[in-house]
Amino acid sequence: MRIFAKVPNFNFMAQRKAGLWVSSLLSIGVILMMLLGALHLGRNLNFGIDFTGGVLVEVVYPQNIELDSVRNDLKAGGYHNPIVQYFGGTREVLIRLAPEEKENSSAISASVLQALGAEQKGVQLRRIEFVGPQVGDELTVNGSLAMVFAFIGIALYIMFRFEWKFAVGAIAALVHDALMVVGFLWIFQVEFDLTTLAAILALIGYSNNETIVIFDRVRENLINQRKGTIYDIVNLSVNQTLLRSIITHVTTLLVCTALFLLGGPSVHSFSISMIVGVIVATYSSIYVSTGLAVALGVSREDLLPPETKEIDETP
Amino acid sequence: MQPYATWKYVLLIVVMVLGGLYAAPNLYGEDPAVQIATQSGDALANDFGDVVGKTITEAGAKAKLSVLKNQQWLVSFEDEAAQRLAADALKRAMGNDYVVALTTASKTPEWLRAIGAKPMTLGLDLRGGVHFLLEVDIDDVRKKAVERYLTELPAFLRKNDIRYTGRHQSADAVLLDFADADKLSAAKSALAKEYSELMLTVLPSAPLTLEVKMSVVEAKRIVDFAVKQNLTTLRNRVNQLGVAEPLVQRQGQNRIVVELPGVTDATQVESLLGATATLEYRAVDESDANLAASSGLVPADSELFYTRAGHRPILLKRDIIAAGSQLVDAASTVDENGSPAVSVTLDGSGAKKMFEFTEKNVGKPMAVLFKEREVVTNYNAKGEPMREHRDVQEIISIATIRGVFGKRFQTTGLESKEAHDLAILLRAGALAAPVDIVEVRTVGPSLGADNIRRGFQAAVLGLVLVMLFMVFYYRVFGAFAIAALVLNIVLIIAGMSIMSATLTMPGIAAMVLTMGIAVDANVLIYERIREELRDGQTPHASIEAGYDRAFLTIADANVTVLIGTLVLFAMGAGPIKGFAITLALGILTSQFTSIVGSRSLAHLVFAKRKLKDLPIW
């Protein structure tokens, strides 16, 4: 099957300024939205207990259960602000407790089950997790550091393989992609746990794929075609790699959708983050990374190997 | 078209065969099994297999396979009924010196095991179990070291005839006061010679006071030592629990991970892991304890304690007859009245002292003091965690010395479960420093099984979707890509099995994600082939160009994904490490399968044909 009869010829670089503006505004918008949301509405990212510390209990009821009745049971048991939600179905319930109870973990698990009336109602414990606040704090620090290290590592690699202007473009695209995903998670209050962080880090590597494929093509075209402005060559390269980008994204979206549909609730936030990130990466590789590199004034000389001396030595 | 080099076909076939062989054990499933090891961790006797076999046959069960594995005897059975029957019989026959635990054994046939093939380890999130993260209290380790120096240094100075006028302790230093500067400098040089690990400074604000601190290296060393000791102790305690394949591992500077597969009740284990219990045998001071308790006046050579039952005040002599550290064995048992007791065996020095004491004190009372240090985490007004120690010191039994004894005797006055737990704690030794449980994750077995099922279904659906899409879009070449993809999955599984890596739920997600990323390489190549065809190249030249030109691009793109996974691996723990390993492995193997694998197929099918076009559109 073919989508285009020949290599398409969209003038992507003509829209590069608009593209950069839109992406910058979107990024700033997301940051502002999250900051203002946190300050005025008290709405933060929905961090999981991996980051906040606390207790998480997953139970299964023998029949469908109203969340309010679970909440009431817990309140009667002395837990004042439990977060109670369905987890997969209307029999499976996930309970999160803030790390304020002055008990050790085993005492909590016993008393939560007692509050739920587990024995009388046939409630089955699926999983219970207790994370101390010190572990959560540490993970927040380590997670942020991990992001920074990933950015630095990728930037260094691109500088080594290409050139610093490309590295700047690539990192800008990565930051943009990560921000869009986090913004999405914020708006829809998707739980941000350790696997979500893993998704974002994997995404950073993945979305950079696009950028590298385009950059590689730009370099190849520069070597093969001595004519044409950098502008034309970048445009050509983006067009040449366009189909490949679309198709790769389709396959990745297919597997992530499979994971979302059948993988169960424990990989929901992982697959959602990947799906959003893959979609965002499609345009950011064109408009943000490549667009920015062009805007920074990438030139022929930046990418071509220095002329070899052999030519001089010919008589 | 150049024929594809023979060695590449050979390499591909070798990789396929090896991958298949080493991935195969994962298909066989598991048998219920029983594992037997010595309590002490010593090697098993040579004829141990015969003893086990005999016990099992006598119990009426039939063993399927009986082998020695990692110093443990592993017996597998056809069904769980036989497993339970045999386990009960073995527990009774082996007694307290052996740990008998229920486990599972892979059904991998002998010839596969002979080449070292084994199934992947499943993470706790897939098979159920408890994960603990313990934090060793570093402050306590340092404080105890400073306390030790506070008694040791003055003793050293006295021995060397250097007089000091006072000694006290600050947060992390010992302060010694001297009458004049000469004494101080004499002390300083003597101490510097003997204790090279200490830093000696005179503060300008107090010219006659010597501040003694541990050097940074020494402070680090003692913490390291304490963590290592705790590791050993925890390993012993965990072994006593009779759990199959437990994991006790250091993580970072002062954390210890304990993973117990199959255990679903964290409560029981938790109290055992964190406890720092020990016993002391002391003489009872027979003066009026009630008076001492009400007036607060305690005789100089005695201390006031309370009994566990009834909270009665009792005065005990300061001198310790025998302590927990002198214990060689402890076992829970019942005394002559049928009430629970701990039977204790002392080492040479303890036995000697006990003998001397009981010889002189027949008819007098002796007490057993139970000391336990618990760490309790409370939260202050700001919600910050405050770690507090709670010392429990109780007299658990007072008994009249009926006769002279030394090495072996019994301690009574406990409840049945207490006797059992205390015996375990005493046998395993005390923790060198208190530990705080900072993370507990319990996964029930049903959730683990669900996760495996869901992960498998998602992977199959993902594969089918990608397969349909690729074949629809790239025709025959799409089928090549799918063949490469299947090989890639086999190689990931084989690689993880060889590395003994742990498969976790995020790891399954990574495998599914790898499918998407791995076909990317083929998409890149095929688009390039199409381009070359459009440009008027011959089909054969297009195939060559497509593969040759795409190689570096694919490598570049894969490196950046690898950077992300490396970072994840470095920071992550548990399931996330599983994600990073799986993804990294998948990317590495895809570089081989997507390029060499699919290229070999393309050559095999098309190299010798005359072609006008390629079935790639």
Side-chain angles (χ1 to χ4, degrees):
Chain A
M1 200 192 95
R2 47 186 109 190
I3 293 176
F4 303 124
K6 53 187 173 57
V7 174
N9 188 20
F10 299 113
N11 193 352
F12 286 110
M13 285 305 109
Q15 308 145 6
R16 70 165 194 276
K17 278 194 182 137
L20 275 177
W21 272 111
V22 170
S23 306
S24 316
L25 287 177
L26 266 177
S27 306
I28 294 168
V30 164
I31 296 173
L32 280 179
M33 173 184 81
M34 286 169 50
L35 273 179
L36 291 176
L39 289 176
H40 293 290
L41 303 170
R43 188 185 171 105
N44 282 311
L45 269 175
N46 181 11
F47 282 114
I49 63 157
D50 292 336
F51 291 95
T52 59
V55 178
L56 180 149
V57 187
E58 187 188 334
V59 288
V60 194
Y61 281 81
Q63 65 285 320
N64 293 350
I65 182 90
E66 291 294 319
L67 289 182
D68 276 335
S69 99
V70 179
R71 277 190 203 106
N72 291 337
D73 282 348
L74 286 170
K75 274 179 196 152
Y79 294 97
H80 297 296
N81 286 311
I83 299 171
V84 182
Q85 65 196 70
Y86 288 126
F87 198 64
T90 48
R91 288 168 52 216
E92 291 90 359
V93 176
L94 193 74
I95 300 160
R96 269 197 278 161
L97 304 168
E100 57 187 283
E101 318 294 337
K102 294 178 184 176
E103 289 172 277
N104 62 16
S105 63
S106 54
I108 291 177
S109 77
S111 76
V112 165
L113 283 180
Q114 205 193 354
L116 293 176
E119 270 184 35
Q120 301 91 300
K121 293 183 191 161
V123 181
Q124 199 194 344
L125 180 71
R126 297 264 277 176
R127 142 172 90 121
I128 179 155
E129 302 188 354
F130 159 82
V131 178
Q134 64 268 55
V135 179
D137 291 348
E138 215 176 88
L139 188 65
T140 312
V141 174
N142 286 348
S144 319
L145 275 179
M147 292 269 218
V148 173
F149 280 128
F151 284 143
I152 293 175
I154 290 172
L156 286 178
Y157 186 72
I158 296 180
M159 273 170 75
F160 164 70
R161 290 284 298 152
F162 298 92
E163 211 261 341
W164 73 266
K165 287 168 198 142
F166 282 107
V168 173
I171 295 303
L174 298 186
V175 173
H176 169 266
D177 294 355
L179 268 176
M180 291 304 126
V181 174
V182 171
F184 179 89
L185 298 177
W186 185 86
I187 291 175
F188 293 97
Q189 290 289 295
V190 180
E191 185 173 322
F192 193 100
D193 57 15
L194 205 50
T195 46
T196 322
L197 181 71
I200 292 181
L201 278 167
L203 191 75
I204 287 175
Y206 174 80
S207 95
N208 198 46
N209 258 353
E210 304 302 315
T211 306
I212 286 198
V213 170
I214 298 178
F215 289 176
D216 248 359
R217 201 52 180 263
V218 171
R219 172 158 58 196
E220 192 193 318
N221 285 337
L222 277 174
I223 294 171
N224 293 340
Q225 310 188 7
R226 293 283 160 175
K227 280 183 215 149
T229 62
I230 184 83
Y231 180 91
D232 294 333
I233 284 182
V234 169
N235 231 346
L236 175 68
S237 309
V238 172
N239 275 301
Q240 283 172 329
T241 52
L242 186 64
L243 253 186
R244 172 263 164 201
S245 288
I246 294 170
I247 290 163
T248 307
H249 287 146
V250 169
T251 59
T252 310
L253 281 178
L254 285 177
V255 293
C256 290
T257 310
L259 207 54
F260 178 77
L261 292 178
L262 296 182
S266 67
V267 289
H268 260 185
S269 44
F270 175 89
S271 40
I272 288 182
S273 309
M274 286 303 299
I275 289 172
V276 174
V278 168
I279 293 171
V280 171
T282 322
Y283 77 86
S284 76
S285 60
I286 298 174
Y287 288 112
V288 183
S289 57
T290 316
L292 189 58
V294 171
L296 285 172
V298 155
S299 64
R300 230 171 230 289
E301 291 68 35
D302 285 341
L303 278 181
L304 290 182
E307 296 284 325
T308 42
K309 286 267 169 75
E310 282 167 325
I311 301 165
D312 295 342
E313 284 160 13
T314 48
Chain B
M1 192 164 167
Q2 288 285 315
Y4 206 42
T6 316
W7 69 266
K8 286 186 183 164
Y9 284 116
V10 173
L11 177 69
L12 189 67
I13 289 167
V14 168
V15 169
M16 275 166 65
V17 170
L18 285 181
L21 281 178
Y22 281 92
N26 296 290
L27 295 173
Y28 284 97
E30 290 177 322
D31 274 331
V34 173
Q35 154 194 315
I36 311 122
T38 54
Q39 193 77 265
S40 52
D42 294 343
L44 295 164
N46 281 335
D47 62 341
F48 192 75
D50 303 337
V51 181
V52 170
K54 212 170 136 238
T55 317
I56 292 171
T57 321
E58 276 170 12
K62 198 167 159 287
K64 200 172 156 192
L65 196 71
S66 183
V67 283
L68 183 69
K69 197 180 139 195
N70 308 331
Q71 306 236 344
Q72 292 169 335
W73 204 273
L74 192 70
V75 192
S76 62
F77 301 91
E78 285 292 347
D79 52 49
E80 281 172 14
Q83 176 201 30
R84 271 195 298 272
L85 199 64
D88 287 343
L90 285 168
K91 270 181 198 159
R92 258 178 281 124
M94 298 292 162
N96 261 336
D97 293 340
Y98 293 88
V99 182
V100 178
L102 299 183
T103 180
T104 52
S106 170
K107 284 189 209 164
T108 311
E110 185 59 45
W111 61 274
L112 268 178
R113 265 184 286 132
I115 58 167
K118 55 186 183 300
M120 287 181 277
T121 323
L122 294 185
L124 290 185
D125 54 346
L126 295 183
R127 64 167 160 174
V130 191
H131 158 104
F132 290 99
L133 187 62
L134 309 169
E135 191 169 84
V136 179
D137 188 344
I138 293 185
D139 293 341
D140 186 81
V141 176
R142 300 220 168 104
K143 210 177 99 203
K144 270 190 194 149
V146 173
E147 276 166 10
R148 207 176 56 236
Y149 282 119
L150 191 67
T151 51
E152 201 175 314
L153 299 183
F156 172 77
L157 291 179
R158 280 196 299 272
K159 214 172 78 191
N160 285 282
D161 270 344
I162 302 168
R163 297 191 111 196
Y164 59 92
T165 54
R167 55 170 174 173
H168 31 124
Q169 186 180 355
S170 74
D172 59 345
V174 173
L175 301 170
L176 296 168
D177 301 331
F178 295 90
D180 53 60
D182 289 347
K183 293 239 169 53
L184 189 145
S185 65
K188 197 175 168 188
S189 58
L191 285 173
K193 210 185 277 170
E194 184 73 18
Y195 296 94
S196 55
E197 76 273 20
L198 296 178
M199 287 191 307
L200 311 165
T201 37
V202 180
L203 299 174
S205 55
L208 290 180
T209 301
L210 186 64
E211 188 196 53
V212 187
K213 266 190 187 171
M214 277 178 289
S215 66
V216 178
V217 178
E218 175 67 6
K220 220 179 140 211
R221 193 193 65 79
I222 59 159
V223 168
D224 204 49
F225 186 69
V227 173
K228 277 186 189 149
Q229 268 189 315
N230 271 2
L231 261 180
T232 313
T233 308
L234 286 172
R235 237 172 238 146
N236 287 336
R237 286 186 187 177
V238 164
N239 284 342
Q240 314 277 343
L241 288 170
V243 175
E245 299 171 62
L247 173 91
V248 181
Q249 207 172 54
R250 185 171 182 173
Q251 181 182 308
Q253 194 207 357
N254 65 328
R255 299 237 169 104
I256 295 171
V257 176
V258 176
E259 289 197 345
L260 308 171
V263 173
T264 44
D265 178 17
T267 324
Q268 188 218 342
V269 185
E270 199 171 321
S271 57
L272 213 54
L273 288 182
T276 47
T278 183
L279 287 184
E280 281 175 13
Y281 291 87
R282 297 207 198 180
V284 175
D285 182 339
E286 283 169 287
S287 48
D288 192 343
N290 284 319
L291 184 70
S294 56
S295 67
L297 294 170
V298 178
D301 60 346
S302 295
E303 280 177 283
L304 184 69
F305 294 102
Y306 291 87
T307 57
R308 173 178 287 179
H311 202 70
R312 273 188 306 124
I314 304 279
L315 285 169
L316 297 185
K317 298 276 187 196
R318 278 181 189 274
D319 190 32
I320 299 164
I321 306 162
S325 56
Q326 289 164 313
L327 230 108
V328 272
D329 193 21
S332 62
T333 169
V334 285
D335 66 3
E336 59 270 31
N337 304 323
S339 48
V342 177
S343 139
V344 174
T345 311
L346 292 179
D347 66 1
S349 69
K352 188 165 163 257
K353 210 164 167 202
M354 184 60 83
F355 182 80
E356 283 166 5
F357 180 80
T358 49
E359 199 180 23
K360 288 179 216 148
N361 294 286
V362 175
K364 288 187 181 163
M366 181 172 77
V368 183
L369 184 65
F370 175 82
K371 284 180 150 183
E372 185 175 10
R373 177 163 227 189
E374 291 179 332
V375 183
V376 193
T377 308
N378 286 324
Y379 298 90
N380 65 11
K382 285 185 204 153
E384 292 160 349
M386 308 275 293
R387 223 163 32 210
E388 281 159 20
H389 298 293
R390 198 168 65 197
D391 285 323
V392 179
Q393 299 196 335
E394 298 166 325
I395 295 168
I396 52 170
S397 89
I398 301 175
T400 309
I401 300 166
R402 300 238 172 79
V404 181
F405 53 83
K407 209 165 145 55
R408 258 172 193 284
F409 52 93
Q410 283 185 345
T411 292
T412 53
L414 299 148
E415 283 171 35
S416 169
K417 188 179 174 302
E418 275 178 339
H420 176 76
D421 283 1
L422 184 62
I424 287 182
L425 289 175
L426 290 174
R427 249 197 322 257
L431 289 173
V435 291
D436 188 6
I437 297 178
V438 292
E439 193 182 289
V440 186
R441 293 173 194 263
T442 312
V443 178
S446 65
L447 181 60
D450 270 10
N451 276 342
I452 293 183
R453 187 176 47 80
R454 285 169 172 159
F456 182 74
Q457 286 174 351
V460 169
L461 179 65
L463 185 64
V464 169
L465 289 178
V466 171
M467 196 187 294
L468 289 176
F469 179 80
M470 290 296 281
V471 172
F472 169 70
Y473 197 81
Y474 290 117
R475 310 287 161 181
V476 178
F477 280 82
F480 296 162
I482 294 303
L485 190 55
V486 172
L487 177 61
N488 191 27
I489 296 169
V490 172
L491 289 187
I492 296 175
I493 294 172
M496 304 231 345
S497 305
I498 292 170
M499 283 156 48
S500 299
T502 307
L503 183 70
T504 59
M505 191 60 194
I508 295 180
M511 235 184 251
V512 177
L513 185 61
T514 312
M515 292 183 198
I517 296 180
V519 290
D520 174 43
N522 290 109
V523 172
L524 204 63
I525 294 164
Y526 297 162
E527 284 301 317
R528 191 60 188 241
I529 294 178
R530 285 178 164 199
E531 246 180 74
E532 301 286 330
L533 287 172
R534 273 194 211 104
D535 287 351
Q537 300 285 335
T538 66
H540 286 150
S542 300
I543 295 179
E544 297 290 284
Y547 277 99
D548 286 340
R549 297 212 174 134
F551 185 84
L552 257 187
T553 310
I554 296 167
D556 272 338
N558 282 344
V559 167
T560 62
V561 184
L562 278 181
I563 292 173
T565 55
L566 273 184
V567 170
L568 258 182
F569 184 79
M571 70 147 275
I576 292 306
K577 264 207 161 95
F579 175 85
I581 292 176
T582 316
L583 192 56
L585 195 64
I587 288 165
L588 289 176
T589 49
S590 81
Q591 183 82 17
F592 175 77
T593 55
S594 303
I595 299 173
V596 180
S598 75
R599 191 174 193 172
S600 303
L601 278 175
H603 274 259
L604 208 59
V605 174
F606 295 116
K608 289 186 181 154
R609 292 193 195 177
K610 286 201 169 138
L611 297 165
K612 277 195 185 134
D613 198 357
L614 284 174
I616 195 171
W617 303 95

